[in-house]
Amino acid sequence: MADILHRIGVEHSSPQQVYEALTTLDGLSGWWAEKTSGRTDLGGVIEFRFGPGGFDMKVTELDPGRRVRWDVVDGPQEWIGTSVQWDLRQDGDYTIVLFKHEGWREPVEFMHHCSTKWATFLLSLKQLLETGEGAPDPRDMKISDWH
């Protein structure tokens, strides 16, 4: 098994503000995918749609201001059965976001691509919270034919 791990600090933002950007349709569409729908409550399924396809995530853990966790239930074969988790904590003027996309069966080339894209979208999350405007799909930086 292989995991994607990232860490960002969001300045002048509380863990609760970051949590809301991860758990509301408006928040999610502001930094990850403009075409986001579904239910963001515990047990709900959120549908994220991008140009080349999309992902369906089942919400499996919500700890307000501390943790959000999803299980991937539909999307590219490499993603199905993996989990996405954010752990949040305050550190001075920053909210620290520890991101994990875990459970990849093997570190295939697509995983390398996804790691880079997760990094760009985490920076979009940071940008949304610090400036009020993120860079979600389709306004994100394109890095290859996978987008």
Side-chain angles (χ1 to χ4, degrees):
M1 295 286 199
D3 302 335
I4 295 171
L5 305 171
H6 293 291
R7 177 189 183 275
I8 61 168
V10 182
E11 194 171 16
H12 306 301
S13 186
S14 70
Q16 187 60 36
Q17 289 169 303
V18 176
Y19 179 84
E20 289 172 15
L22 299 171
T23 60
T24 64
L25 294 177
D26 283 345
L28 292 164
S29 64
W31 68 268
W32 194 22
E34 286 183 350
K35 292 181 182 175
T36 297
S37 61
R39 290 186 26 236
T40 61
D41 58 320
L42 193 61
V45 175
I46 311 168
E47 295 114 19
F48 301 94
R49 295 298 175 259
F50 299 82
F55 312 99
D56 291 356
M57 310 283 195
K58 182 176 182 179
V59 180
T60 57
E61 188 173 352
L62 293 173
D63 185 354
R66 300 177 83 148
R67 176 176 288 162
V68 174
R69 185 178 175 89
W70 303 329
D71 288 345
V72 182
V73 295
D74 198 13
Q77 190 60 42
E78 297 91 343
W79 279 48
I80 296 174
T82 64
S83 296
V84 177
Q85 179 173 305
W86 290 266
D87 286 300
L88 313 173
R89 67 177 164 82
Q90 192 72 43
D91 187 359
D93 289 338
Y94 289 85
T95 294
I96 303 302
V97 179
L98 296 178
F99 170 87
K100 180 177 5 180
H101 185 173
E102 65 183 343
W104 289 72
R105 289 179 285 286
E106 57 185 330
V108 294
E109 184 177 346
F110 185 52
M111 182 182 178
H112 293 259
H113 166 82
C114 292
S115 180
T116 303
K117 287 303 293 190
W118 272 125
T120 64
F121 284 121
L122 287 166
L123 292 174
S124 173
L125 171 65
K126 175 180 171 66
Q127 180 181 323
L128 173 67
L129 289 158
E130 290 179 352
T131 71
E133 186 170 349
D137 178 82
R139 296 181 289 122
D140 59 310
M141 180 183 297
K142 306 301 184 213
I143 58 173
S144 75
D145 59 350
W146 284 322
H147 295 269

